[in-house]
DNA sequence: TCTGGTACCTTCGGTAACTG
DNA sequence: CAGTTACCGAAGGTACCAGA
């Protein structure tokens, strides 16, 4: 049985961090051929190529990305041990690398992540926003621990992942006071012919809204389409149109953007998911998010 | 397009320290 | 003391880039 050589792992880690053998050799005060040789040996023992050549430099393979994610934790822990041994007490820090789909309202993203901030352990959140497909690619290469999205893992995605539903709620519609006065009819008739800000094609909410408009015989005037929910809210705040968001964050949106509520419906349901590469959620912060989100939404009578 | 310079990685052969 | 491991110097291969 092969044993992990931590010296090899350290050389690998330094090469991965610096992006080249020559730069790593400067950091480690060794010659490049030593690093190269030890790295080859490490790859041979592990039975996996960890780097591939990219021009003059090296880039990590998928296996390399996986090893790096573990090496980061191992050497962070080592550094922490040194600090403890040198009588510098330090709180144990848990790192959470989370990707937030840009279709997910930012206020909701915060609301979902909030339970993780209340963990007893010190948490460092590394939060990234982007298109779901890009975030899922990063999840597959272990650059992210979890992806928060308004839709489950797409069947077409070329990534192995598991969708964990955190909850669901109805939809609320918001507008500025000035815009609201121009459409005084009762909800939802006041949406008819009103300027409307529609979520982009990546958002799960978009299709549900369009279908609901059709069922209700409503014909809002589409004033804009937005992939980014924060951008859509900003346009809504400026009076460019009415927009929809999950009811669970209605209060936060009205406070944050100084908007008024047109109406609410439970006929459209917005769902929230945590997507991970593991069937079971194991990261302590993600577990906290998962548990708290379900309880919180249930308590509000929304699930 | 060719050529020379530069940067980077790998292989080979050898040495020194460590281990059982 | 033989085998193993880690290391280094020299040399060679590959990729990139600038200038003719």
């Amino acid at each position: 049985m092969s044993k992990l050589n931590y010296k090899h792992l350290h050389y690998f880690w330094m090469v991965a961090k610096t992006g080249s053998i020559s730069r790593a050799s400067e950091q480690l005060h060794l010659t490049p051929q030593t690093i190269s040789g030890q790295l080859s040996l490490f790859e041979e023992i592990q039975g996996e190529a960890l780097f591939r050549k990219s021009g003059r430099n090296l880039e990590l393979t998928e296996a390399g990305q996986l090893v790096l994610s573990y090496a980061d934790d191992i050497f962070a822990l080592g550094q922490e041990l040194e600090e403890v041994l040198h009588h510098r007490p330090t709180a144990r820090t848990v790192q959470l690398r989370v990707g937030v789909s840009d279709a997910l309202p930012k206020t909701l993203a915060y609301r979902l992540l909030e339970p993780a901030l209340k963990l007893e352990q010190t948490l460092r959140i590394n939060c990234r926003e982007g298109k779901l497909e890009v975030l899922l690619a990063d999840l597959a290469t272990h650059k992210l621990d979890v992806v928060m999205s308004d839709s489950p893992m797409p069947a077409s995605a070329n990534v192995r992942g598991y969708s964990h539903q955190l909850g669901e709620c109805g939809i609320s519609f918001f507008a500025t006071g000035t815009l609201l006065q121009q459409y005084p009819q009762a909800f939802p008739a006041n949406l008819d012919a009103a300027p409307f800000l529609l979520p982009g094609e990546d958002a799960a909410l978009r299709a549900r809204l369009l279908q609901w408009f059709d069922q209700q015989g409503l014909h809002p005037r589409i004033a804009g389409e937005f992939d980014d929910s924060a951008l859509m809210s900003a346009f809504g705040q400026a009076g460019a149109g009415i927009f929809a968001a999950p009811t669970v964050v209605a209060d936060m949106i009205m406070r944050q953007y100084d908007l008024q509520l047109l109406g609410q419906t439970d006929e459209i349901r917005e769902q929230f998911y945590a997507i991970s590469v593991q069937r079971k959620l194991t990261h302590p912060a993600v577990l906290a998010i998962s548990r708290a989100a379900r309880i919180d939404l249930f308590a509000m009578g929304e699930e």
Side-chain angles (χ1 to χ4, degrees), chain A residues 25-230:
Chain A
S25 67
E26 286 170 15
Q27 295 283 319
L28 294 164
H29 305 292
L30 295 168
T31 58
Q33 58 270 37
T34 296
I35 308 290
S36 175
Q38 298 295 296
L39 208 51
S40 299
L41 202 57
F42 186 48
E43 289 181 321
E44 191 183 324
I45 291 167
Q46 301 311 318
E48 289 265 16
L50 304 177
F51 290 100
R52 72 171 76 88
K53 292 205 76 168
S54 172
R56 289 178 187 175
N57 294 312
L58 300 175
E59 64 180 25
L60 287 164
T61 61
E62 196 173 326
Q65 296 277 2
L66 177 63
V67 174
L68 178 62
S69 69
Y70 278 89
D72 278 337
D73 290 344
I74 288 168
F75 292 116
L77 206 57
Q79 192 175 355
E80 192 181 307
L81 174 61
E82 276 189 51
E83 286 170 359
V84 169
L85 288 174
H86 287 85
H87 309 294
R88 282 181 287 167
T90 170
R92 180 78 188 274
T93 300
V94 174
Q95 190 179 14
L96 175 66
R97 299 163 301 176
V98 54
V100 178
S101 165
D102 51 15
L104 201 68
K106 303 301 164 280
T107 41
L108 179 59
Y110 171 74
R111 178 78 181 272
L112 291 172
L113 292 170
E114 197 179 10
L117 302 172
K118 294 175 180 168
L119 281 175
E120 282 184 18
Q121 292 164 300
T122 310
L123 181 76
R124 184 189 299 170
I125 288 188
N126 185 341
C127 207
R128 281 187 42 210
E129 186 200 358
K131 284 192 174 294
L132 182 59
E133 59 184 77
V134 176
L135 297 176
L136 289 176
D138 285 346
L139 184 71
T141 53
H142 303 275
K143 288 178 186 168
L144 292 173
D145 296 310
V146 67
V147 171
M148 315 295 279
S149 173
D150 65 337
S151 59
M153 182 87 179
S156 59
N158 192 22
V159 174
R160 181 186 286 183
Y162 300 94
S163 307
H164 311 272
Q165 190 178 347
L166 298 176
E168 63 173 20
C169 69
I171 290 298
S172 296
F173 294 82
F174 308 91
T176 58
T178 311
L179 189 58
L180 194 59
Q181 285 173 4
Q182 295 173 33
Y183 299 90
Q185 306 95 317
F187 179 81
N190 53 359
L191 292 172
D192 201 34
F196 194 84
L197 309 179
L198 195 63
E201 289 184 357
D202 289 343
L205 181 59
R206 178 193 172 97
R208 295 184 193 130
L209 274 171
L210 291 174
Q211 189 183 9
W212 185 73
F213 288 153
D214 196 41
Q215 287 168 353
Q216 299 292 321
L218 297 170
H219 302 90
R221 179 175 61 78
I222 305 303
E225 297 185 22
F226 300 85
D227 286 337
D228 188 302
S229 63

